[in-house]
Amino acid sequence: MREITYKQAIQEALREEMRRDERVFLLGEDIGVYGGAFGVTLGFLEEFGKARVRDTPISELGIVGAAAGAALMGMRPVVEIMFIDFSTLALDQLANQAAKMRFMFGGKARVPMVLRAPQGAGTGAAAQHSQSLEALFVHFPGLKVAMPSTPADAKGLLKAAIRDDNPVVFIEHKLLYNRKGPVPDGEHLVPLGRAEIKRPGRDLTLIAISNMVIKALEAAEILAAEGIEIEIVDPRTLVPLDEATVLDSVRRTGRVLIAHEACRTGGVGAEILARIVEEGFDYLDAPIRRLAGRDFPIPYSKVLERQVIPQVEDIVREARRLLGRAGGGKRNDQ
Amino acid sequence: MSLTIEALLGMYRTMVRIRAFEERVDDLMMKGLIHGTTHLYIGMEAVATGVCSALKPEDYIASNHRGHGHCIAKGADLNRMMAELLGKATGYCKGKGGSMHIADLERGNLGATGIVGSGIPVATGAALAISMRKEAKVVACFFGDGAANNGAFHESLNLAAIWKLPVIYVCENNQYAMSGPAREMFAIPRIAERGSAYGIPGATVDGNDVLAVHAAATESIRRARDGHGPSLLTCETYRWKGHSRSDANRYRSKEEIAAWQARCPIQRLRRYLEELDGLDARAAAAIEGDVRAEVEEAVQFAEKSPVPSLEGAEADLYA
Ligand SMILES: Cc1ncc(C[n+]2csc(CCOP(=O)(O)OP(=O)(O)O)c2C)c(N)n1
Ligand SMILES: [Mg+2]
């Protein structure tokens, strides 16, 4: 299969959907000539013109609300928020309008919009440009939340999100943009709400999201050399969450580790853990463990930034510990 | 002009200091020695210098992502600034903030923010505190043209207007918000016109003329200190460098950049000082030499400083 980057996969999804459906258009800051802060929309202005590639002022609340309004009218806007941190400026329109209009109007409205934004630490962008905020969006019924970890998932999920009749928050990871992976030729859709097992294994279920999947795959190699086979489950969308695939894996392994980059407190790991306990308690041979970002804003210093985010070695250590192996010593997290 | 030669030389030195600091930061960034991104103030030195020279030491400023110039003009220590940029424990924020978040509370710098426009409500609140305590201080709030299109700007100006707060809103119109040209992002010719929408004075000055900035700021500050409330001061200027680390400058021409570089705020003050016989080539070279040495010392201080640790970081999270 051909290999393209995560960024190219997103570009393909956007381009294909814009060619396919006149109603799809882009809104965002610096998405025109500049091509977006991460270069995702480079070349789109030339192909689709100013009317469909709308460079906006720095007005997050305004543009997300305008997307909701246009969607209500039957358009299919895709908003780029430059860093997910800035989505908090638009939260009213997203949470109180886009997410709720359909239900509070008695099931009458449709709000087919997508909010794309990159998140994650690792670039030295500090506290206001490095957060992982998926937990925020998961908490508003009416929103769907996608978090692809591979180019194939990025393409397939974004196309599905654009065709979905609901507001979808599509969360990209900055450190993934230039990673390559196989993506099928031609039409490629990944339905929202279906997890994927990224690596099969019998000893432990590791539920990882976004960039943590990449770290999990690395950790799995190290563990395999010690005879430990971990199964990596990537939910791919947090809403809807594919509980069946998660529980099926837990039933087979009996041990669970959940890894995400977002802060531990109130993170989606807690939600996933709770669902496993509620529905799959009898499958468990050990307490479920979570690996998450420490409860700090992301520090600027490279040294500190690395310390607050789970790393490959943390996954390895936690997995060993869950399996009672040597080298799984106590972790100094909170 | 009532400014003494000495005062003018002070402004000159501040601008040269900002320029020298920023050029060295640019250089460190090119060499990959700075982990995150930075937003350089080169070309805009007259704005921070003109405004801060009109403030008293006990007055306040609120800064933004392009904040090194504000910091230096308010008297910051270059060693601690450079250490922050290199992520060291001796930096202004102990390496936790970086370029976009330098705060120097002792000198009245209420801190920089990376969320465009988000310093404007904070500056407004600081002015509210001053007003409630009936102090004679003022807050100068720096932000870009781009920030003036965010809701925070509009809500804050109205609040300050109805409460008559001692704040001056200094809009640094460097013609672009990243790639967004001010000429396309506003449907009005002058941002300062927005003052009238909130019932406050709005003035536009040549932001590359430090004397014009100083004069206009002095007027706004007097108004604020006398209890007549806020004003909006737009300084027309230009950013010479790319927006941040990664900027291919696709949205503007080399000719346009060159035309603005020909209007260098530092050269302009230098020519004026020369006409007044306040500065000659030797004295200018001495100032240049001083500040370059100071910047080098800052780099050495930063390089020698220890990296931070997370030990005790909880105390930096909750008071
Ligand atoms: C709320 C928010 N939206 C977008 C950004 C990304 N961004 C950082 S600086 C900038 C341009 C700011 O322009 P302006 O206010 O004119 O200041 P300048 O950089 O020109 O000094 C943008 C879009 C941000 N940091 N915060
Ligand atoms: Mg600007």
Side-chain angles (χ1 to χ4, degrees):
Chain A
M1 212 184 290
R2 73 198 173 110
E3 296 228 330
I4 59 172
T5 65
Y6 187 88
K7 189 194 296 188
Q8 287 166 331
I10 294 168
Q11 289 168 335
E12 282 191 3
L14 289 172
R15 202 175 287 119
E16 287 174 16
E17 293 307 301
M18 287 180 81
R19 286 180 187 159
R20 179 179 169 270
D21 186 345
E22 281 278 294
R23 298 169 302 175
V24 180
F25 71 101
L26 311 183
L27 279 159
E29 293 157 19
D30 304 284
I31 62 169
V33 262
Y34 198 99
F38 294 89
V40 172
T41 56
L42 208 54
F44 277 64
L45 179 66
E46 289 75 4
E47 177 171 354
F48 299 103
K50 271 189 152 186
R52 292 179 76 199
V53 181
R54 305 187 78 93
D55 249 332
T56 72
I58 307 174
S59 308
E60 284 79 8
L61 182 75
I63 62 180
V64 170
L72 187 64
M73 300 288 288
M75 300 294 280
R76 305 188 88 85
V78 180
V79 181
E80 175 175 295
I81 293 290
M82 198 182 287
F83 287 76
I84 204 152
D85 312 72
F86 315 156
S87 68
T88 59
L89 280 86
L91 210 51
D92 170 55
Q93 289 295 322
L94 188 69
N96 291 325
Q97 292 279 48
K100 296 184 173 51
M101 278 196 278
R102 180 175 176 78
F103 184 82
M104 68 189 181
F105 297 164
K108 280 193 290 252
R110 277 174 215 275
V111 188
M113 63 178 278
V114 176
L115 187 158
R116 291 180 40 240
Q119 71 175 25
T123 64
Q128 297 174 335
H129 289 72
S130 306
Q131 296 170 88
S132 292
L133 296 179
E134 67 273 8
L136 203 59
F137 308 110
V138 164
H139 201 60
F140 297 113
L143 297 182
K144 294 188 178 180
V145 181
M147 282 183 85
S149 66
T150 64
D153 289 348
K155 179 168 181 183
L157 287 170
L158 183 52
K159 285 171 68 88
I162 294 171
R163 295 185 197 184
D164 198 278
D165 277 339
N166 300 285
V168 180
V169 179
F170 187 87
I171 304 178
E172 299 161 16
H173 197 291
K174 284 167 226 161
L175 299 188
L176 293 177
Y177 280 132
N178 294 321
R179 270 192 90 86
K180 281 196 165 172
V183 176
D185 275 318
E187 187 83 321
H188 170 64
L189 285 150
V190 173
L192 304 177
R194 204 163 304 159
E196 188 178 67
I197 295 179
K198 296 288 196 224
R199 179 185 170 115
R202 57 171 191 268
D203 296 328
L204 176 144
T205 297
L206 170 51
I207 301 157
I209 52 178
S210 191
N211 191 37
M212 214 47 79
V213 173
I214 308 305
K215 291 183 181 175
L217 287 165
E218 256 184 72
E221 287 295 323
I222 297 170
L223 291 161
E226 302 170 10
I228 299 174
E229 289 299 334
I230 64 172
E231 174 150 300
I232 300 171
V233 180
D234 177 358
R236 301 197 289 193
T237 59
L238 298 172
V239 179
L241 181 68
D242 182 357
E243 259 182 60
T245 300
V246 170
L247 287 168
D248 182 59
S249 174
V250 177
R251 187 177 48 76
R252 286 183 283 105
T253 66
R255 288 184 161 78
V256 183
L257 177 60
I258 304 168
H260 58 63
E261 185 175 325
C263 293
R264 181 183 201 83
T265 302
V268 295
E271 176 64 29
I272 296 171
L273 186 154
R275 294 207 198 180
I276 296 170
V277 170
E278 282 170 347
E279 304 298 328
F281 188 76
D282 294 340
Y283 306 148
L284 295 172
D285 296 328
I288 300 173
R289 297 279 305 167
R290 281 182 294 161
L291 256 180
R294 295 192 56 181
D295 286 334
F296 287 119
I298 303 295
Y300 167 71
S301 137
K302 195 174 185 166
V303 184
L304 301 186
E305 185 185 33
R306 196 173 185 284
Q307 286 175 20
V308 300
I309 300 301
Q311 304 295 339
V312 174
E313 60 267 25
D314 299 315
I315 299 176
V316 170
R317 194 195 48 243
E318 282 299 319
R320 285 181 186 145
R321 186 175 160 193
L322 264 167
L323 288 157
R325 303 294 171 91
K330 278 228 179 280
R331 185 175 189 223
N332 62 341
D333 59 1
Q334 350 83 332
Chain B
M1 176 57 64
S2 56
L3 285 167
T4 61
I5 296 275
E6 211 186 340
L8 293 171
L9 282 171
M11 291 183 190
Y12 182 76
R13 182 180 282 271
T14 300
M15 290 204 283
V16 176
R17 248 176 131 219
I18 297 172
R19 177 74 53 97
F21 184 86
E22 294 293 64
E23 284 178 354
R24 194 69 172 90
V25 171
D26 197 18
D27 171 61
L28 291 169
M29 194 155 57
M30 295 299 184
K31 290 182 180 144
L33 295 171
I34 290 181
H35 174 41
T37 193
T38 62
H39 304 83
L40 300 173
Y41 201 67
I42 295 175
M44 299 164 61
E45 295 89 348
V47 182
T49 305
V51 171
C52 291
S53 60
L55 294 171
K56 293 184 178 168
E58 62 271 26
D59 290 330
Y60 295 91
I61 63 165
S63 174
N64 69 352
H65 59 282
R66 200 174 299 289
H68 304 167
H70 311 145
C71 242
I72 294 174
K74 194 72 173 77
D77 173 6
L78 300 192
N79 287 6
R80 294 181 69 193
M81 282 182 74
M82 199 61 93
E84 189 57 36
L85 295 187
L86 296 192
K88 296 301 182 72
T90 53
Y92 266 112
C93 316
K94 303 184 203 163
K96 294 192 174 76
S99 164
M100 276 191 284
H101 304 298
I102 298 180
D104 180 10
L105 300 177
E106 300 99 80
R107 281 188 195 75
N109 178 349
L110 298 171
T113 173
I115 303 294
V116 169
S118 68
I120 310 177
V122 171
T124 306
L128 173 63
I130 290 170
S131 147
M132 291 176 76
R133 294 184 197 139
K134 302 191 170 27
E135 293 172 346
K137 299 173 186 172
V138 303
V139 183
C141 173
F142 294 100
F143 55 90
D145 45 294
N149 282 328
N150 202 285
F153 166 88
H154 297 274
E155 297 184 24
S156 300
L157 263 65
N158 188 54
L159 282 174
I162 61 174
W163 290 339
K164 283 201 181 321
L165 300 181
V167 51
I168 68 168
Y169 296 106
V170 183
C171 179
E172 303 182 298
N173 181 9
N174 59 9
Q175 316 306 320
Y176 293 91
M178 224 162 127
S179 68
R183 62 182 180 277
E184 287 176 28
M185 294 299 167
F186 293 84
I188 49 170
R190 284 176 185 275
I191 298 170
E193 286 174 23
R194 290 193 174 168
S196 67
Y198 301 102
I200 69 175
T204 305
V205 293
D206 180 344
N208 282 11
D209 178 354
V210 69
L211 303 179
V213 175
H214 179 89
T218 301
E219 175 55 31
S220 295
I221 290 166
R222 181 181 306 128
R223 225 185 103 80
R225 232 189 273 287
D226 291 349
H228 302 302
S231 33
L232 172 62
L233 176 61
T234 302
C235 303
E236 298 290 326
T237 183
Y238 200 78
R239 120 173 103 63
W240 290 13
K241 296 283 176 172
H243 169 71
S244 63
R245 186 200 282 276
S246 50
D247 181 352
N249 274 318
R250 283 191 200 94
Y251 51 88
R252 57 183 189 173
S253 67
K254 286 201 176 67
E255 293 70 36
E256 183 186 286
I257 299 172
W260 277 92
Q261 285 177 335
R263 298 174 53 188
C264 174
I266 298 179
Q267 289 309 316
R268 182 160 175 170
L269 180 59
R270 178 167 172 172
R271 281 194 301 273
Y272 182 70
L273 274 162
E274 283 168 356
E275 279 163 29
L276 296 178
D277 284 330
L279 186 72
D280 58 20
R282 249 189 62 212
I287 292 176
E288 182 86 24
D290 282 357
V291 299
R292 299 266 167 206
E294 216 187 328
V295 170
E296 263 342 287
E297 195 194 302
V299 174
Q300 279 174 23
F301 171 82
E303 281 174 347
K304 274 192 249 140
S305 292
V307 295
S309 93
L310 276 184
E311 216 62 51
E314 283 80 9
D316 291 336
L317 183 61
Y318 293 105

